[in-house]
Amino acid sequence: MIIQIPCLNEAETLPSVLSTIPAHIPGIDTIETQIIDDGSTDGTAEIARNLGVTHILVNKTNIGLARSFQKGIENALHRGATIIVNTDGDNQYSSASIPDLIRPILEGRADIVIGDRKPGENEDFSLVKRSLQRFGTRVVRRLAGVDVTDAVSGFRAYSRDAALDINVMTGFSYTIETLIHAGQKGYTVVSVPVGINRATRPSRLFKSMGSFLRKQLVTILRSYVMYRSLSAFLALGGIMLFLGALPIIRFLILYAMGSGDGHIQSLVLGGVFLLAGYLTVVIAFLSDTIATNRRLTEHVLVRLRRLEMSEAPDEKDEVQSDSAFRANTIKNAAN
């Protein structure tokens, strides 16, 4: 098992995170740690090296949480991990809950496990944030078709098969997108209660609640259109066709009654809606074709990853820059 920790200036809290990680867990032969330093300026990577972190990846510049997460997943797979746990460097999540987090995977009951912080009961969250967390989780649960209780929790565990199929497209956060992706792929996702620690600082992921909501909404819409493009555009096109039919029917009725001359605007309005609806339906089928091609591409990508990951990993610990990581990925693909 590899426990990965994306970090951005977490030199103060990282020792607390690492010190509470269990040294032995029943069912796990080897436990390794991995830090993805996302352009920190406080010596996070040096602290991690001094604390004996097994694998250290360093981004020369800040590339964002989502890309750092994806980079860490790919490196953990290359290192041979069969279970990957993701936690945060701010010590928000209790590392003592890791055995509970991975148990459903060890027992074969789940592919992905989400740590439930019980955000509705978290005193560190304001009433508005707790309400938005519950509402957002219900929306994601409905769209993804998975039973989760804390959709934006970053404390989660992945089986190797589920991790091989992860493709994060957004640059903001991976939490919601990977859940929707998992639901569409048919992976079993479960939630388990986990312990949390008191917040030591505000989140660095977003500057305000409005910014967070806007970015998460865009992520949800992009993911929904990406995986359910046919139903999304067909529904929109059907609504437009229906709205276009109403004024045209009204015009025809009035025309049949001999008073349609003064209602030509209904005919024009209806025609605009019908045309828009027709174009949207065409877009629906074109989008479905693109989505089918995407699924085929993802299938090929997973097979390519399996071939790449079958190579024996380098046993040496290393501090790997973002450019070196990309160069090694290109080299492996070429081979």
Side-chain angles (χ1 to χ4, degrees):
M1 177 176 71
I2 290 183
I3 302 168
Q4 74 165 26
I5 311 171
C7 293
L8 175 60
N9 295 326
E10 306 291 3
E12 292 185 6
T13 55
L14 185 58
S16 298
V17 177
L18 294 171
S19 65
T20 54
I21 292 176
H24 304 283
I25 299 177
I28 300 296
D29 297 325
T30 304
I31 299 175
E32 298 180 352
T33 52
Q34 174 174 274
I35 298 299
I36 307 97
D37 182 359
D38 192 20
S40 298
T41 57
D42 65 347
T44 294
E46 186 64 28
I47 294 292
R49 186 185 300 107
N50 294 336
L51 291 172
V53 172
T54 317
H55 311 292
I56 302 175
L57 308 179
V58 178
N59 303 331
K60 289 184 177 180
T61 59
N62 181 268
I63 63 175
L65 176 60
R67 291 178 60 191
S68 295
F69 168 82
Q70 180 77 56
K71 177 177 176 178
I73 290 289
E74 292 181 358
N75 188 68
L77 289 170
H78 185 67
R79 298 289 177 177
T82 53
I83 296 178
I84 302 173
V85 171
N86 187 87
T87 187
D88 285 352
D90 60 1
N91 201 32
Q92 174 187 175
Y93 307 108
S94 173
S95 298
S97 296
I98 291 178
D100 296 329
L101 191 70
I102 66 173
R103 186 172 296 117
I105 296 178
L106 290 174
E107 295 175 351
R109 297 186 288 110
D111 302 298
I112 301 173
V113 185
I114 309 298
D116 181 11
R117 300 167 296 174
K118 297 188 181 299
E121 304 172 9
N122 193 332
E123 297 179 357
D124 289 333
F125 292 172
S126 66
L127 178 61
V128 174
K129 187 173 182 178
R130 291 198 298 268
S131 300
L132 290 173
Q133 288 273 23
R134 288 194 293 267
F135 175 74
T137 296
R138 285 196 296 268
V139 171
V140 173
R141 187 164 57 226
R142 182 176 181 85
L143 292 180
V146 295
D147 187 17
V148 294
T149 51
D150 189 2
V152 296
S153 171
F155 195 26
R156 48 184 66 188
Y158 296 87
S159 68
R160 184 173 180 85
D161 285 340
L164 279 166
D165 213 357
I166 290 177
N167 294 298
V168 181
M169 298 291 106
T170 61
F172 173 57
S173 177
Y174 59 89
T175 53
I176 289 179
E177 182 180 354
T178 52
L179 278 178
I180 295 176
H181 178 86
Q184 295 302 312
K185 289 288 186 176
Y187 288 111
T188 302
V189 182
V190 301
S191 298
V192 298
V194 294
I196 57 174
N197 302 313
R198 300 289 298 185
T200 57
R201 57 164 177 79
S203 173
R204 295 194 181 105
L205 184 59
F206 54 91
K207 297 180 179 180
S208 65
M209 183 58 65
S211 172
F212 175 77
L213 290 174
R214 182 174 62 256
K215 291 180 178 179
Q216 292 289 32
L217 180 60
V218 170
T219 299
I220 291 173
L221 291 176
R222 285 184 60 185
S223 300
Y224 185 72
V225 171
M226 185 179 299
Y227 294 108
R228 296 187 179 182
S229 55
L230 183 63
S231 59
F233 285 110
L234 274 182
L236 182 60
I239 292 173
M240 290 184 177
L241 290 174
F242 176 75
L243 293 176
L246 291 179
I248 290 180
I249 292 174
R250 175 177 179 270
F251 172 80
L252 292 176
I253 292 174
L254 293 174
Y255 185 81
M257 296 174 60
S259 57
D261 293 342
H263 300 279
I264 192 68
Q265 66 274 14
S266 296
L267 187 62
V268 174
L269 180 63
V272 170
F273 272 102
L274 286 179
L275 180 59
Y278 168 76
L279 292 176
T280 304
V281 170
V282 172
I283 291 174
F285 288 102
L286 291 176
S287 299
D288 186 60
T289 302
I290 295 173
T292 300
N293 290 333
R294 173 185 166 82
R295 287 191 291 270
L296 293 173
T297 302
E298 288 181 342
H299 179 69
V300 173
L301 180 59
V302 170
R303 297 192 65 177
L304 177 61
R305 281 178 177 167
R306 291 184 186 277
L307 291 173
E308 289 179 351
M309 303 311 168
S310 65
E311 299 178 2
D314 185 1
E315 297 298 332
K316 294 172 58 180
D317 296 344
E318 63 181 64
V319 178
Q320 189 178 35
S321 67
D322 186 44
S323 58
F325 177 81
R326 292 177 183 175
N328 286 339
T329 301
I330 295 173
K331 180 181 178 181
N332 289 335
N335 291 338

